Amino acid sequence: MRRALAFALAFWAALVGFIAIDWQRSAAHNRFDEPPPWQLGQDKVEGSGHCAEPLK
Amino acid sequence: MQAMASNPDAAHTADRADRNSEPAGRHAANAALIVGAVAATLVVIWLVGLRQGALFVIGIGFGAVLAAVSFGFTTGWRIWIRDRDPTGILAQFVAIGLAMLVSIPLIAARPELSGAIAPLSVSLVIGAFVFGAAMQVADGCGSGTLYKAGLGNAFSLAVLPGFIAGSFVGAAHLDRWLALGSLPPVSLPEHLGAGPALALQTAALGGIAWWLWRRRRRTDARWQGRAIYIAAVVMAVLAVLNLIVAGQPWGIVYGLGLWGAKVATWFGADLTANAYWGRAAQQAHLQASLLTDVTSITNLGLLLGALIAANARGTARPRTRATGPQWLAAVVTGFALGYSARLAFGCNVGAYFSGISTGSLHGWVWFAAAFAGSMLGVRLRDRLGLKS
C-alpha cells in the first residue's frame, strides 16, 4: 500500500513539475487573445491538433 | 513467469481490504482531491481561459466515469475473446452510437466543427493491428493507460513514458509510413449525407451487437448491472460536449506525443525540418504551454477525474507485483502503443470512438484491424504470464 501510494505521489509530483517547467519555457500566454468559451458558432480553427488529423 | 497482481480482479481484492480498513482516510483524501480539482480548474481558467477550463472539467468527467465503473475498452474486448461476454463491447457501442447520433448531424450542419476523419493507409492497418495486440499486453489502451497511471498503478506508470515517447516518434515518422500507400480520408456523412450515414452506421453497430449477443456464453465475466451502460451514456454526453467546446472530437494520443516532442526540444532536438512536427501549427503548439492544447488539457482532467472516482470507490493505488521481464514488457509495449497509435491515426479514443462516432471510415478499419491484433495480444498476454 505504501509502495503504491509512493508511486502515485511520485507520478503526480512529476506531472505537476512537468507542467510548471513547460509553462516557464513556453511563450507567454496572451490572455487578451483567448478563444471564446466554445467553438460552436465561431470561426473554424485549423491545426488545433488531433491524432486523426491527416498529414498535409 | 509469476502472475502479475496489477490485473483488475487482483487489484479489486486488495482494494476491498483497503476500503474496509481506511474509510476515514479515504473520505479525507476524497475531500482534498475534490478541493484540489476545483482549485486546479480555477488555475486553468485564470492562466489560459474559460475554454480550456471547460475542457479540463470535461476531462475530469471522462476520467471519473471511466474509473467509476472500470470502463475498459481493452478489457471489454478481452472478455469477449476469452469468455464470449459481450457486455463491454455492447457498452462501447452504446457510447459510440449515442455520440454519433448527435455528432454527425452537428458536424454536417456546422462547418466550424470537425470530425476525426483520417486517411485509409497501409499504416492505419499495421498500426491498428499492433495497437490492438499491445493494448492487451499492457492491459490498457490510450484512455486506460492514462487513467490507471493516475491511480498509481505501477504497471501503467511503466507503460506511460514509453507511450509518450512512441507517440512523439510515431508522428515524426508518419510521412515515411504514409509513403507505403494511402487513400484519401472518407467521411461517410460527406459522401452519403448525414441521414444515410447515420442509418448505415446504426445498422452496422446494431448488426454486430446482435451477432455478439446471439453468440454470448455469459454476461457476468466482469460487469454486472446497469452501471456500465449508464457510464456509456455519460461518456457519449461528454464526447458531444468535447466536440462543441473544442471544435473537434475527443482524442488522447496527440497530446501525449506533444508532451514527448516538448521534452525532446528541451534536450536540444530541432524539429523544424520534421514532416509532422515542423509544420507551422505544430511549431506553434510546441512553443505554447501544453495547458493551451485542447487534447492535453482533457488528458490532464482525465487523470484527475479518474483519481477522484477511484479514491471514492477505494480502488486507487492498486498493488502491483511483476517480474523483471514483465516490467520490460511494459516499457516496450508502451512504446509500441504510442508509435502504432500515431500510424493508425488514433487509439481506441481518437480512431475507434471518435472516428466512428463522427462518420470516418478509418474508424471502422481501425476497429477491425485492432480487434484482430487483440486476438493475438490476448495470447501474448498468456505467454507473458499476465493474468486476467
Side-chain angles (χ1 to χ4, degrees):
Chain A
M1 184 63 189
R2 281 185 184 171
R3 191 161 160 258
L5 181 61
F7 275 130
L9 289 174
F11 170 75
W12 282 95
L15 185 65
V16 171
F18 175 62
I19 295 167
I21 293 169
D22 174 63
W23 181 263
Q24 283 292 114
R25 298 181 67 112
S26 298
H29 177 70
N30 181 2
R31 61 174 54 248
F32 298 105
D33 191 27
E34 285 171 0
W38 51 81
Q39 182 59 29
L40 187 67
Q42 311 300 327
D43 293 335
K44 190 172 180 68
V45 178
E46 298 288 352
S48 51
H50 193 278
C51 30
E53 181 188 26
L55 187 61
K56 291 173 185 170
Chain B
M1 199 176 287
Q2 188 183 358
M4 182 173 37
S6 69
N7 68 68
D9 295 334
H12 289 174
T13 306
D15 296 331
R16 269 194 293 273
D18 298 338
R19 193 165 19 200
N20 293 331
S21 62
E22 301 176 10
R26 194 157 48 79
H27 291 319
N30 223 33
L33 285 170
I34 290 169
V35 170
V38 172
T41 304
L42 292 174
V43 167
V44 170
I45 292 171
W46 175 256
L47 291 177
V48 286
L50 276 174
R51 179 182 296 200
Q52 295 304 99
L55 288 169
F56 185 67
V57 173
I58 289 169
I60 289 175
F62 275 127
V65 77
L66 284 166
V69 298
S70 298
F71 193 108
F73 287 86
T74 304
T75 316
W77 290 16
R78 190 160 70 240
I79 63 165
W80 167 259
I81 293 168
R82 278 200 178 141
D83 303 316
R84 290 292 182 266
D85 180 344
T87 309
I89 302 180
L90 294 181
Q92 292 166 24
F93 281 8
V94 168
I96 292 170
L98 290 176
M100 173 186 81
L101 288 176
V102 181
S103 299
I104 286 181
L106 202 54
I107 292 169
R110 307 303 299 239
E112 69 271 23
L113 305 181
S114 307
I117 315 296
L120 303 172
S121 60
V122 174
S123 75
L124 163 62
V125 178
I126 295 172
F129 182 86
V130 172
F131 188 92
M135 76 180 196
Q136 294 299 341
V137 175
D139 195 24
C141 44
S143 53
T145 297
L146 203 56
Y147 94 74
K148 287 181 188 173
L151 310 188
N153 182 315
F155 197 70
S156 296
L157 284 171
V159 170
L160 189 59
F163 203 141
I164 292 170
S167 303
F168 158 58
V169 178
H173 292 171
L174 188 56
D175 58 325
R176 297 176 215 176
W177 283 95
L178 287 176
L180 295 176
S182 176
L183 295 171
V186 175
S187 165
L188 293 173
E190 282 180 16
H191 278 75
L192 307 174
L198 268 179
L200 180 65
Q201 292 211 138
T202 304
L205 288 172
I208 298 170
W210 177 80
W211 183 83
L212 293 170
W213 186 253
R214 286 287 302 267
R215 296 180 70 90
R216 75 188 185 284
R217 287 196 200 126
R218 55 188 297 195
T219 57
D220 59 352
R222 174 96 165 106
W223 295 281
Q224 287 103 35
R226 290 175 295 178
I228 189 168
Y229 294 105
I230 294 169
V233 174
V234 176
M235 279 181 67
V237 171
L238 290 168
V240 172
L241 286 175
N242 191 98
L243 175 65
I244 289 170
V245 175
Q248 64 182 30
W250 182 26
I252 284 183
V253 178
Y254 170 79
L256 300 182
L258 180 65
W259 299 1
K262 279 175 170 286
V263 172
T265 58
W266 295 353
F267 285 96
D270 180 6
L271 302 176
T272 52
N274 182 260
Y276 186 89
W277 297 110
R279 296 179 302 164
Q282 301 309 323
Q283 285 292 306
H285 284 300
L286 284 170
Q287 285 162 21
S289 163
L290 62 88
L291 296 179
T292 63
D293 170 45
V294 296
T295 312
S296 295
I297 203 73
T298 46
N299 285 351
L300 294 174
L302 190 154
L303 283 163
L304 188 53
L307 181 60
I308 293 169
N311 193 71
R313 287 181 72 200
T315 55
R317 302 180 297 281
R319 292 170 191 166
T320 311
R321 197 178 307 124
T323 62
Q326 287 172 334
W327 287 119
L328 181 63
V331 175
V332 173
T333 309
F335 188 88
L337 276 170
Y339 194 92
S340 60
R342 291 319 314 258
L343 305 193
F345 293 99
C347 61
N348 57 297
V349 170
Y352 171 54
F353 186 102
S354 296
I356 294 177
S357 67
T358 58
S360 176
L361 193 56
H362 104 284
W364 289 100
V365 175
W366 192 98
F367 178 32
F371 200 90
S374 271
M375 294 174 77
L376 173 68
V378 169
R379 291 186 178 187
L380 284 173
R381 190 171 173 79
D382 292 338
R383 284 271 180 97
L384 286 164
L386 303 168
K387 297 287 177 164
S388 160

